[in-house]
Amino acid sequence: MARDDALFDTSDPAAEAEADARADAAVHSGRLISHDAVKGWLSSWGSTEPLPRPRVGD
């Protein structure tokens, strides 16, 4: 019986390098959302007044 590769059992080095370059460019240009902003947003899920999705700079 042949084993099917799981989603994360394969890699694409070129795609990973491209994604890393995009992430590095975002960090260097300041296009970030703080951990606290994301944490607050996620913590509000399921409440009667969920927070809006955080934006760059939050």
Side-chain angles (χ1 to χ4, degrees):
M1 173 181 250
R3 178 180 165 260
D4 291 330
D5 286 336
L7 177 62
F8 297 107
D9 284 348
T10 60
S11 66
D12 182 342
E16 289 180 24
E18 184 179 331
D20 288 345
R22 285 193 315 269
D24 287 342
V27 168
H28 290 297
S29 69
R31 292 187 324 257
L32 302 171
I33 299 171
S34 74
H35 172 79
D36 288 337
V38 173
K39 184 178 174 182
W41 175 57
L42 291 175
S43 294
S44 76
W45 288 10
S47 72
T48 57
E49 295 184 30
L51 296 172
R53 179 175 55 93
R55 304 274 183 205
V56 171
D58 287 348

